Amino acid sequence: MTVSVNKVSLSFGGRSIFNDISFQINPGDRIGLVGRNGAGKSTLLRLIAGEYTPENGNIATPNGFRLAFLKQELLKQPGITVMQLAESAFDEIKQLEKRTDEINVEIVERTDYESQSYHDLLDELHHLIERFSMLQGHTYVADIERVLKGLGFKPEDHNKKLSTFSGGWQMRAELARLLLIQPDLLLLDEPTNHLDIESIIWLEEYLAQSKQTVVLVSHDRTFLDNVTNRTIEISLGKAYDFNCSYSKYVLQREEIRTKQLQSAKNQDKEIKQTEQLIQKFRYKASKASFAQSLIKKLDKMDRIEVDEDDARSMHFSFPPAPRSGKVVVHGQNLGKTYGENVVLNKVDIEIERGQRVAFVGQNGQGKSTLIKIITDSLAHTGNLEIGHNIKIGYYAQDQADELDGNKTVLATIEDAADEESRKRSRDLLGSFMFSGEDVEKKVKVLSGGERGRLALCKLLLDPINFLVMDEPTNHLDMRAKDVLKSALQNYDGTLLVVSHDRAFLADLVNNVYEFKDGVVKQYLGGINYFLEQRKLDSMRMLEKRSTVQKEEVVVEKKKNNFQEKKNLEKLVRKLKNQQTRTEAEIAALETKIKTADNDMLDAEKFKEISKDPDYFTKYEADKKSLEKLMKKWEHDAFELEEKETELDQY
């Protein structure tokens, strides 16, 4: 099923967002939608989803087309559990199950075997069973558990209410639901912003291996390269289509633009020379006809257009940091628990003036919790001291979401500024690419990246000497990340940053704290030194391999235990054989039940069936046996997957 975007134009508040853009989304395409913050990427997704209507042109989708859309903002769903949200992807299957159960009860209770209504009931049951089988209804529970596990949910999380999870985890649950729907087209707007590395890698593999048609917005280079097979750039209202992944697109885009510039330069030279000849000969009778032919040549010439490049970028620097005491943060035996969950345990930390510190580790290991203890005085055990004359600037993970959506961009800065800073509000906003009418926009209409830039702008209103940033690159485009990094490299205060991005941390920090199992370990060096000490190639390997200490000990023992490996291989073979036998039993029972269903639909055979008083009892017993076998198959499948994963550790 192909989706066609035909000469679509759209503008907001007199500003053109798109101008006659056209492209097709073909089955199996995995398209990376890229461009600067505010270029219109999220808007284009909303157009495709039918939430916005183009001013000109149209977006054509086939009849019966199913579309699923993960947005940056999430609708609240109070009262629903994680499992209930995931199961809502299978509403039709659940309705089929319910109706099938109702019919089976009715069949057992009725005795009018030769009536038309009874035959109609059997016919309905037959169609329900076929539809259920076509939708692979027997495996949907296993599918749910597989996807929830891949996105980081533990079995004990399944029946917890969504409202008890953070916004990031609620977004994961919604992503799970959309993946399970298996729509004709999946739209994903920055899906990795709320995922840790393990979940990002799982999602990469899931999307890359599936036949799913996807259009996604992301500023994660590695994710784009590993998932997409096509790139569409949105720049200055136009769409540029490249049949390749992101890194190849960057090279091709530059090559094309270089060739365009050279061709345009050569053409300009030719035009100039031709015009000079025309001026030289047009008034000479003997050369007049020659001059006219040159004029016609110029008129017919197709002028080479060079693709416009959006060269705008942030340009800012942090104000000089006020002098502070030598010790910025001193923490001893710090601890934090939530109920029975121990997040931090006996943590010691000391940050001195001028240090540039990174917190790294899996999500949920306590990085943001320790930051909140330091910046927001979150209740904790142990002793924490903030040094003399420390002025903290804090950029939280959800900083951009905390902005007042009803305020304008200008009012947001003016209301937060003192009298002196207020005078330079417009100049400051200009440094963050908010100029002219942009400053009068309401915050609620800004893109995620634009809100991120505005939140960064607020940090510059007051001089600070201890800058704390929790995932500051979320929502920022590639260029904005580079500008922020440059500004941080030139910042003369003390820096503490949480990030999963090795490229961002490289040459930025000189101290690394690794968070794992409630314990925090310090490495006196930059991110490359830390990875070298941990014998890792990348931050991805760090977080993929960061498992609870007990599991690491078990894995290490297994690596050194040849006999245990042999036993595990034997168990895997046994489980595979067991699963094969179960599948054969399932196939035999399904054939038997299907034959019975067909016999009940045949009037002659049904008369014979009716003579056997135990027939329907046996029929129901077979169905229950099939249900038990399916549950057994699912259980064995999960156990086999776990054991094969353990075996992979050797």
Side-chain angles (χ1 to χ4, degrees):
M1 293 186 174
T2 300
V3 176
S4 296
V5 178
N6 304 309
K7 296 186 177 181
V8 165
S9 296
L10 183 70
S11 61
F12 286 137
R15 175 186 166 224
S16 177
I17 308 297
F18 305 119
N19 184 22
D20 283 346
I21 64 170
S22 298
F23 58 90
Q24 285 191 333
I25 304 170
N26 304 308
D29 279 345
R30 295 192 301 276
I31 299 172
L33 202 56
V34 302
R36 304 298 304 277
N37 290 140
K41 302 182 297 294
S42 297
T43 301
L44 183 54
L45 291 184
R46 290 179 182 274
L47 278 167
I48 295 170
E51 294 185 4
Y52 291 163
T53 302
E55 293 170 356
N56 295 303
N58 65 84
I59 297 176
T61 56
N63 291 331
F65 188 78
R66 295 189 312 151
L67 181 147
F69 184 12
L70 180 75
K71 306 174 189 177
Q72 289 186 33
E73 66 280 355
L74 192 64
L75 292 175
K76 300 295 183 183
Q77 302 191 64
I80 193 172
T81 66
V82 172
M83 180 58 78
Q84 286 170 337
L85 180 65
E87 285 180 338
S88 67
F90 299 99
D91 281 344
E92 184 179 358
I93 288 176
K94 293 182 74 64
Q95 289 297 322
L96 289 171
E97 282 184 325
K98 181 181 177 183
R99 180 56 184 153
T100 300
D101 290 341
E102 290 173 351
I103 292 177
N104 284 329
V105 170
E106 190 173 347
I107 286 174
V108 172
E109 293 175 349
R110 289 178 60 162
T111 57
D112 56 332
Y113 305 132
E114 297 185 9
S115 67
Q116 183 60 45
S117 63
Y118 190 86
H119 281 275
D120 290 343
L121 203 61
L122 294 176
D123 189 47
E124 182 184 355
L125 178 62
H126 175 71
H127 288 300
L128 289 172
I129 292 170
E130 282 193 342
R131 179 64 177 166
F132 187 81
S133 178
M134 187 183 77
L135 294 175
Q136 298 181 325
H138 296 300
T139 63
Y140 82 92
V141 174
D143 291 338
I144 289 174
E145 293 179 350
R146 176 171 60 91
V147 171
L148 288 178
K149 180 181 178 183
L151 290 174
F153 288 97
K154 299 174 183 177
E156 56 266 31
D157 295 331
H158 294 181
N159 293 316
K160 291 180 181 177
K161 290 189 176 180
L162 270 177
S163 56
T164 64
F165 291 87
S166 68
W169 281 93
Q170 290 184 45
M171 191 70 77
R172 290 187 191 212
E174 173 65 4
L175 175 57
R177 183 185 75 85
L178 299 180
L179 293 175
L180 289 163
I181 287 174
Q182 288 289 307
D184 298 306
L185 175 60
L186 180 61
L187 305 178
L188 301 174
D189 197 354
E190 299 201 33
T192 63
N193 275 355
H194 301 285
L195 302 181
D196 56 25
I197 296 298
E198 275 198 68
S199 297
I200 289 174
I201 292 172
W202 179 87
L203 182 60
E204 284 177 1
E205 293 172 350
Y206 181 95
L207 293 175
Q209 292 172 8
S210 76
K211 297 178 181 179
Q212 185 77 63
T213 304
V214 183
V215 179
L216 66 91
V217 173
S218 178
H219 299 301
D220 184 328
R221 289 180 175 90
T222 306
F223 183 76
L224 286 168
D225 279 340
N226 290 341
V227 171
T228 62
N229 54 24
R230 186 175 158 200
T231 303
I232 295 179
E233 179 194 13
I234 304 300
S235 178
L236 300 174
K238 295 183 179 180
Y240 301 93
D241 198 345
F242 296 81
N243 195 30
C244 59
S245 62
Y246 179 79
S247 291
K248 292 179 180 177
Y249 137 78
V250 172
L251 295 174
Q252 287 188 24
R253 183 84 168 89
E254 187 59 33
E255 287 176 6
I256 290 171
R257 184 170 167 76
T258 300
K259 289 177 181 177
Q260 286 178 337
L261 287 168
Q262 187 59 50
S263 297
K265 184 178 178 181
N266 292 338
Q267 188 182 63
D268 287 342
K269 183 178 179 181
E270 181 185 352
I271 290 170
K272 187 175 181 180
Q273 290 173 341
T274 304
E275 288 175 339
Q276 287 175 345
L277 288 173
I278 291 171
Q279 286 298 114
K280 184 176 180 180
F281 297 125
R282 71 187 307 169
Y283 299 113
K284 293 183 179 181
S286 61
K287 300 289 186 179
S289 60
F290 175 60
Q292 286 299 316
S293 66
L294 290 176
I295 292 171
K296 290 178 181 178
K297 174 187 172 183
L298 281 184
D299 290 340
K300 292 179 180 179
M301 184 179 289
D302 290 329
R303 302 300 171 101
I304 295 172
E305 292 186 7
V306 178
D307 294 339
E308 290 183 87
D309 184 28
D310 189 351
R312 297 175 302 150
S313 66
M314 295 192 301
H315 53 93
F316 72 96
S317 58
F318 290 95
R323 182 75 174 174
S324 70
K326 182 180 179 182
V327 176
V328 176
V329 175
H330 177 75
Q332 193 170 18
N333 287 324
L334 297 176
K336 180 62 181 176
T337 59
Y338 291 99
E340 297 181 357
N341 182 25
V342 179
V343 180
L344 297 171
N345 182 33
K346 295 182 180 179
V347 172
D348 293 334
I349 183 172
E350 182 163 291
I351 300 174
E352 295 185 352
R353 182 182 63 235
Q355 283 187 332
R356 314 174 81 73
V357 177
F359 283 179
V360 301
Q362 275 185 316
N363 280 6
Q365 292 293 329
K367 304 186 298 294
S368 295
T369 299
L370 183 51
I371 278 182
K372 288 177 181 177
I373 289 173
I374 294 170
T375 60
D376 291 342
S377 301
L378 181 68
H380 61 278
T381 58
N383 182 49
L384 176 73
E385 296 178 12
I386 303 298
H388 173 67
N389 196 36
I390 298 300
K391 300 182 184 301
I392 298 177
Y394 176 36
Y395 185 97
Q397 272 194 48
D398 56 356
Q399 191 78 27
D401 298 327
E402 295 299 315
L403 299 171
D404 187 342
N406 291 316
K407 284 186 178 181
T408 65
V409 170
L410 182 59
T412 298
I413 297 303
E414 287 184 335
D415 291 351
D418 59 24
E419 187 173 348
E420 186 61 32
S421 298
R422 198 173 294 120
K423 296 176 183 176
R424 56 187 183 91
S425 293
R426 287 182 179 271
D427 291 338
L428 194 57
L429 285 168
S431 299
F432 286 85
M433 297 168 59
F434 295 106
S435 57
E437 295 180 355
D438 290 341
V439 302
E440 300 301 334
K441 285 183 181 178
K442 290 286 183 71
V443 170
K444 61 186 176 184
V445 305
L446 300 180
S447 69
E450 288 173 319
R451 289 198 299 272
R453 295 205 310 265
L454 185 58
L456 281 173
C457 184
K458 286 185 69 176
L459 280 179
L460 271 65
L461 293 174
D462 298 306
I464 51 180
N465 50 27
F466 183 30
L467 180 56
V468 182
M469 310 193 84
D470 193 356
E471 298 289 1
T473 59
N474 278 0
H475 300 295
L476 294 184
D477 62 41
M478 314 296 187
R479 291 186 190 176
K481 285 183 185 181
D482 292 340
V483 172
L484 173 60
K485 179 176 177 177
S486 177
L488 291 174
Q489 286 174 322
N490 293 314
Y491 172 58
D492 63 350
T494 305
L495 175 66
L496 170 57
V497 59
V498 176
S499 178
H500 299 287
D501 190 333
R502 175 179 181 173
F504 183 72
L505 293 175
D507 302 320
L508 179 62
V509 300
N510 54 26
N511 250 278
V512 176
Y513 284 85
E514 180 187 15
F515 287 63
K516 186 172 66 175
D517 309 332
V519 178
V520 179
K521 183 177 179 181
Q522 183 182 17
Y523 292 80
L524 298 173
I527 196 65
N528 292 331
Y529 171 80
F530 160 71
L531 292 171
E532 181 182 309
Q533 292 298 303
R534 291 280 275 106
K535 294 181 171 57
L536 301 171
D537 293 330
S538 68
M539 295 289 284
R540 289 181 161 229
M541 285 183 66
L542 159 70
E543 300 193 36
K544 193 171 184 180
R545 286 172 51 181
S546 292
T547 53
V548 288
Q549 195 171 22
K550 289 181 182 178
E551 291 175 341
E552 288 182 335
V553 171
V554 171
V555 169
E556 191 61 34
K557 285 181 180 178
K558 287 179 180 177
K559 287 179 179 177
N560 299 319
N561 192 327
F562 178 78
Q563 187 57 47
E564 191 165 353
K565 179 184 177 184
K566 287 294 183 183
N567 292 339
L568 193 55
E569 288 174 340
K570 184 178 178 180
L571 178 58
V572 167
R573 286 196 299 271
K574 179 182 176 182
L575 286 170
K576 285 183 176 179
N577 292 334
Q578 189 171 296
Q579 200 171 35
T580 300
R581 288 195 299 272
T582 303
E583 287 171 354
E585 291 178 45
I586 288 171
L589 262 181
E590 285 181 333
T591 301
K592 184 179 178 182
I593 291 170
K594 188 171 183 179
T595 301
D597 290 335
N598 290 333
D599 289 347
M600 285 188 282
L601 293 173
D602 187 296
E604 291 300 322
K605 289 183 179 180
F606 188 76
K607 287 181 181 179
E608 292 299 318
I609 289 170
S610 302
K611 295 175 183 178
D612 181 359
D614 297 326
Y615 183 85
F616 291 104
T617 303
K618 293 175 184 175
Y619 177 80
E620 289 302 317
D622 285 341
K623 291 185 68 176
K624 288 180 180 177
S625 296
L626 178 60
E627 186 177 345
K628 288 180 181 178
L629 282 172
M630 289 304 304
K631 288 181 179 178
K632 182 178 185 303
W633 183 90
E634 289 176 13
H635 177 272
D636 290 347
F638 276 115
E639 187 176 0
L640 178 60
E641 183 180 354
E642 288 177 359
K643 297 306 177 186
E644 286 181 326
T645 301
E646 289 181 27
L647 194 57
D648 287 341
Q649 301 293 333
Y650 289 96

